[in-house]
Amino acid sequence: MKPAKEIRVGNIIMVDAKPFIVLRSDVNGSSRTGFTYKWKMKNLLTNAPLENVFRGDDKFDVVVLDKKPVTYSYFADPLYVFMDEEYNQYEIEEENMGDAINYLKDGMECEAVFYDGKAISVELPITIARQVIYTEPAVKGNTSGNVLKEAKIENAIESKQFTIQVPLFVNQDDTIEIDTRTAEYKKVVRN
């Protein structure tokens, strides 16, 4: 059991015997009056959102979820299908995929997250390399400061094309490294 003051965003806790992931935490109060924690959470089983306020000394069971390496196989609307090394298939609903949808690629390795024997979400590597499939060419003279432009990156699902902000020198067909936690450009990957 952990007190509310030790719970961080991304932790999975039990509330009313149901697993919730903490998506956002706002702290209010002072050391004299005591702190309250307003959490925005999501039920891992039903995806139902929940907002609640807790005192700093309220205690919660923190759940450690099982993880298993898997490979992205295909999209079977509305499910994303992943396979482990023993050829077991796991289906994950689109609403549980989060930002991972933006980076999926056939054969991509990631980790499936399990709760009570059921795959509930997927975790990506922190950085991935993707090819830029479209970006505008840089405009001559537009180089003052840190100027960025949009770039579409390759993705397994065409309807989920994703754009990120990149520096002007990045060209179409370049391979770039992206931080999947922040959706930020890191660098151009040279061959």
Side-chain angles (χ1 to χ4, degrees), residues 161-176:
Q161 288 293 308
F162 186 60
T163 58
I164 69 164
Q165 297 291 314
V166 297
L168 287 178
F169 60 80
V170 174
N171 298 312
Q172 189 167 319
D173 299 325
D174 281 352
T175 300
I176 59 173

Side-chain angles (χ1 to χ4, degrees), residues 29-132:
S30 68
S31 56
R32 189 175 49 133
T33 60
F35 291 101
T36 59
Y37 296 82
K38 183 178 181 183
W39 290 339
K40 186 175 189 174
M41 302 179 287
K42 180 176 85 169
N43 185 316
L44 289 177
L45 303 177
T46 64
N47 292 316
L50 175 69
E51 254 186 58
N52 216 331
V53 178
F54 300 99
R55 291 190 324 265
D57 56 354
D58 287 346
K59 296 199 183 283
F60 298 92
D61 278 326
V62 177
V63 179
V64 177
L65 300 175
D66 295 329
K67 294 180 184 179
K68 181 186 256 188
V70 293
T71 304
Y72 174 66
S73 293
Y74 60 93
F75 177 59
D77 200 0
L79 302 171
Y80 291 83
V81 181
F82 295 84
M83 190 179 296
D84 67 12
E85 57 193 23
E86 287 128 25
Y87 303 107
N88 296 318
Q89 290 189 354
Y90 304 102
E91 297 174 337
I92 301 174
E93 292 86 13
E94 184 169 341
E95 57 267 9
N96 289 356
M97 292 292 296
D99 291 337
I101 291 174
N102 301 329
Y103 307 106
L104 282 183
K105 189 174 166 185
D106 291 337
M108 178 180 177
E109 294 181 6
C110 46
E111 283 190 323
V113 179
F114 293 86
Y115 175 75
D116 208 19
K118 180 183 184 287
I120 55 169
S121 70
V122 67
E123 284 185 5
L124 299 179
I126 293 172
T127 58
I128 59 168
R130 288 292 176 265
Q131 184 177 8
V132 175

Side-chain angles (χ1 to χ4, degrees), residues 151-188:
K152 278 188 184 177
I153 60 170
E154 67 178 325
N155 186 321
I157 298 115
E158 209 163 299
S159 64
K160 306 284 185 207
Q161 288 293 308
F162 186 60
T163 58
I164 69 164
Q165 297 291 314
V166 297
L168 287 178
F169 60 80
V170 174
N171 298 312
Q172 189 167 319
D173 299 325
D174 281 352
T175 300
I176 59 173
E177 192 173 281
I178 303 164
D179 186 326
T180 58
R181 299 168 299 183
T182 60
E184 290 179 342
Y185 161 88
K186 299 295 264 177
K187 65 181 180 180
V188 172

